[in-house]
Amino acid sequence: METMMNQAFKTRDTADALWVVRDKVQFMGEVPEKGLSILEVTVPPGSGTPPHKHQSVEIFRVLSGEITFTVFDSVPPSQMVAGPGDVLTLRSFQPHNYANTGSLPAQMIAIVEDSMNHFFRDVGQSEVPPDGPPSAEEIGAVLAACQRHGIEILGT
């Protein structure tokens, strides 16, 4: 029983962590029977995602800082600035992105389906990335991983 509990209990210090471009993604827990994962994502100032869509539903809850979410399923797109405690739920294939436009890092919890967990584990790097915008090589690696995992980058 103790071994089972040790596998189920994670802290920020013990959870697997990977860097996806400039965001730190920590794998906090999984429910394999339901195909769900809970991630903690640290988003530095200036970081975020391009507009995209995918099969996985996503639920985001901001823990600290502010994240600007844009949903592109209406004209004009709807945009919201989410702060601590705010929650955004996205359905399957709903076009969206997020960005940290503030001056401090932001943290959020994301509940995702296995397909997104696999994407993050595929594209993530264990080394802390350099400061500044991603290189052409980094962007190419992410685009290739998106293609492998059925994530469509919009506007490309």
Side-chain angles (χ1 to χ4, degrees):
M1 182 67 170
E2 185 176 331
T3 302
M4 180 77 143
M5 181 56 114
N6 289 343
Q7 291 173 348
F9 181 76
K10 295 181 183 174
T11 69
R12 286 181 176 156
D13 294 332
T14 62
D16 290 346
L18 293 173
W19 295 90
V20 178
V21 187
R22 299 298 177 266
D23 296 355
K24 183 180 183 183
V25 177
Q26 289 188 272
F27 301 87
M28 301 303 295
E30 297 177 11
V31 183
E33 302 82 17
K34 300 292 182 182
L36 297 173
S37 295
I38 186 165
L39 313 171
E40 185 169 303
V41 184
T42 302
V43 185
S47 187
T49 64
H52 65 282
K53 63 182 180 177
H54 44 71
Q55 180 180 341
S56 177
V57 297
E58 292 179 305
I59 302 171
F60 296 100
R61 183 174 190 268
V62 176
L63 300 175
S64 65
E66 289 184 343
I67 299 286
T68 300
F69 291 97
T70 305
V71 180
F72 298 93
D73 57 0
S74 63
V75 177
S78 55
Q79 191 171 74
M80 63 243 35
V81 178
D86 293 341
V87 175
L88 174 66
T89 302
L90 297 167
R91 66 183 183 278
S92 184
F93 296 109
Q94 189 169 18
H96 65 283
N97 77 333
Y98 70 79
N100 179 353
T101 59
S103 59
L104 298 173
Q107 287 187 311
M108 61 184 172
I109 290 290
I111 298 172
V112 300
E113 294 176 2
D114 282 346
S115 59
M116 289 304 295
N117 185 343
H118 296 154
F119 166 76
F120 291 129
R121 289 190 182 274
D122 179 21
V123 75
Q125 303 291 317
S126 57
E127 302 83 31
V128 177
D131 289 335
S135 68
E137 182 180 321
E138 287 176 287
I139 292 170
V142 170
L143 292 176
C146 285
Q147 200 166 40
R148 287 192 299 274
H149 294 276
I151 300 169
E152 180 182 349
I153 302 297
L154 305 175
T156 59

